[in-house]
Amino acid sequence: MRMNWAASILLSLFMLTATVFSVIWIRDYMKDHAPEQKSYLIDEQSGAYEQLLDELNENKAEAIFEAQNKVIQIETPIGSIGSGFLYNRRGDFITNAHVVANAQEVTVVTAQANRHTGRVIGISESEDIAVVRVEELAGKEPLEIEEEPPELEAPVLALGSPLGFQNTVMLGEINGVDQSFTIDPFVYENVDRITAPISPGNSGGPLLHGESLKVIGITSAEEPQEGLGYSIPVLDILDQVDEWIEKPLETLPAFPQYAEQPEDVYVPSQEEAAIYLVQYFYSSLQFGDFVTAYSMMGSQFKEENNYETFRKMFQDTAALSLEATETLVVAENVEVKAVIEAEELEEGEPVNQTYTYRVLIGQENGQLKIKEYTRSD
């Protein structure tokens, strides 16, 4: 990773890790998923109802934070980055085969930035799945696996380290099932298509069901032009994973399709890094994580707008989504034109609006920051 932008992404990792645990789900979403035995007994206009919603938000935020603690960043000897998640108490992590291809040992980085050595104990030559054993992390509680396959349009959360941003959470839904394609040498059969924004580094990370927060898939491939990703259903690969765990491979296969030289390691461009930061910003706003969104703003913006002012900018927004982006390099910065679809409340009634924002992104003290954020009318 020799580019300054790539270096700033990795430095931003620590700032984002410190704030991401503050995730708070938007009120309407939590209201729809509140436990029925409580919500229907409480008057929605009462203080008790408000208190219940606050408790539900805190519980959801805590559950997401706990899930993030079971996700690792994987670094290979040639410098590439991927993700993985804890499957059992033996310290075994599921990831993608293409993440650890041609490596017998990798470095794993926990949510607390602790580094350990992991050993590849299983990897498929045809399916994009692998298992990494980290003996130092044995005994920890793993992520739970969802016992039923998800339905179309189910809400999902993609966790991982896209472009080196460790411990990110991207919101989306399943908008396609039973998808099949080949990325040599791996064959993807009956995988799920998702709308959660993913980028290089997400690979191998868990896809969680948005309601149960249990693992439903392994984020494995992306279609950046369409803003879509693909996830291997976790239930389809558990038999193979369990076989490797009980009987680790003595010899690992070679993958000549994957580069073994450092100069061939993927490095994101300025435009890719900027677009990802914008996606992460709006995804954070989408599920109510205003603290993380505010932490991405530059110092000048923060001098002019404190956190409460920033939060009030979205107080009448019930939902929003990033529909399109365009980039323009301006000196050492990147200007992103972001088209936003928002559902706003006007006199208590939802109204759909479309806005275009100018988002200027650049480096500040070695970190990527949103320097300017203005609406174009």
Side-chain angles (χ1 to χ4, degrees):
M1 298 285 184
R2 294 175 299 279
M3 289 179 55
N4 289 336
W5 276 76
S8 69
I9 289 172
L10 295 177
L11 288 171
S12 298
L13 175 160
F14 299 103
M15 176 271 293
L16 294 173
T17 300
T19 58
V20 76
F21 68 86
S22 62
V23 174
I24 302 174
W25 283 78
I26 58 175
R27 175 158 297 180
D28 286 346
Y29 180 85
M30 292 309 306
K31 178 179 175 183
D32 290 341
H33 298 87
E36 190 171 325
Q37 66 271 25
K38 290 186 178 181
S39 61
Y40 74 81
L41 292 175
I42 300 177
D43 180 4
E44 292 192 10
Q45 303 303 317
S46 70
Y49 182 77
E50 296 292 329
Q51 182 179 355
L52 172 62
L53 288 177
D54 289 341
E55 291 175 356
L56 289 170
N57 287 335
E58 290 175 3
N59 291 338
K60 180 68 75 170
E62 182 178 352
I64 294 175
F65 177 57
E66 288 300 318
Q68 290 173 310
N69 284 329
K70 299 164 186 176
V71 178
I72 56 169
Q73 178 172 294
I74 298 175
E75 301 175 357
T76 70
I78 64 170
S80 59
I81 293 176
S83 304
F85 62 93
L86 185 59
Y87 173 61
N88 59 25
R89 289 180 174 273
R90 299 170 67 171
D92 295 326
F93 290 79
I94 295 177
T95 186
N96 282 135
H98 77 262
V99 169
V100 296
N102 299 321
Q104 294 187 351
E105 290 187 343
V106 296
T107 298
V108 304
V109 185
T110 68
Q112 294 76 33
N114 296 322
R115 304 174 73 85
H116 305 281
T117 297
R119 178 169 59 92
V120 180
I121 64 170
I123 186 168
S124 173
E125 296 182 73
S126 58
E127 294 181 274
D128 196 4
I129 57 173
V131 176
V132 175
R133 176 165 291 173
V134 186
E135 295 181 355
E136 291 176 286
L137 298 179
K140 296 184 177 295
E141 185 73 23
L143 281 174
E144 291 187 63
I145 305 296
E146 184 61 70
E147 297 180 357
E148 298 293 333
E151 297 180 353
L152 192 65
E153 298 184 350
V156 297
L157 301 175
L159 278 61
S161 297
L163 300 183
F165 284 104
Q166 191 176 9
N167 259 3
T168 63
V169 181
M170 286 298 191
L171 181 69
E173 66 176 24
I174 294 177
N175 76 339
V177 295
D178 299 329
Q179 308 289 303
S180 297
F181 53 88
T182 299
I183 302 178
D184 190 41
F186 303 114
V187 178
Y188 300 81
E189 294 184 347
N190 303 321
V191 300
D192 296 325
R193 188 175 64 217
I194 61 175
T195 61
I198 61 172
S199 299
N202 266 118
S203 293
L207 187 72
L208 307 185
H209 195 289
E211 296 174 9
S212 69
L213 298 186
K214 296 180 180 180
V215 180
I216 57 176
I218 309 166
T219 306
S220 304
E222 62 170 328
E223 193 173 349
Q225 292 79 8
E226 302 296 329
L228 299 171
Y230 295 91
S231 172
I232 299 174
V234 70
L235 294 177
D236 292 352
I237 56 90
L238 292 185
D239 287 344
Q240 178 62 81
V241 167
D242 290 336
E243 182 178 328
W244 287 328
I245 290 171
E246 295 306 318
K247 189 177 181 180
L249 294 179
E250 296 181 0
T251 303
L252 302 180
F255 295 88
Q257 299 89 342
Y258 287 85
E260 296 187 2
Q261 299 300 319
E263 59 266 23
D264 293 328
V265 175
Y266 177 82
V267 177
S269 66
Q270 294 184 25
E271 292 89 340
E272 288 174 316
I275 287 177
Y276 181 76
L277 190 64
V278 169
Q279 290 175 330
Y280 190 18
F281 175 75
Y282 282 110
S283 184
S284 297
L285 293 176
Q286 189 174 4
F287 60 83
D289 186 3
F290 298 101
V291 174
T292 292
Y294 185 67
S295 73
M296 300 180 198
M297 311 306 293
S299 58
Q300 182 174 344
F301 180 92
K302 290 181 178 179
E303 288 177 4
E304 299 171 355
N305 304 274
N306 61 25
Y307 173 75
E308 291 302 323
T309 301
F310 174 78
R311 176 67 182 85
K312 288 178 181 178
M313 293 170 61
F314 306 96
Q315 64 182 1
D316 294 325
T317 302
L320 60 81
S321 61
L322 177 63
E323 299 298 318
T325 58
E326 293 182 12
T327 60
L328 174 67
V329 177
V330 182
E332 296 181 353
N333 302 315
V334 175
E335 179 179 308
V336 179
K337 184 174 76 172
V339 179
I340 306 301
E341 294 287 342
E343 182 180 283
E344 298 181 341
L345 299 178
E346 296 184 4
E347 298 181 353
E349 296 295 327
V351 177
N352 293 325
Q353 304 279 14
T354 300
Y355 299 112
T356 299
Y357 283 87
R358 174 183 176 270
V359 188
L360 188 68
I361 296 175
Q363 295 186 59
E364 185 177 293
N365 298 324
Q367 296 178 339
L368 290 180
K369 292 289 185 178
I370 297 176
K371 293 185 173 181
E372 297 180 20
Y373 180 70
T374 56
R375 197 169 87 187
S376 303
D377 294 320

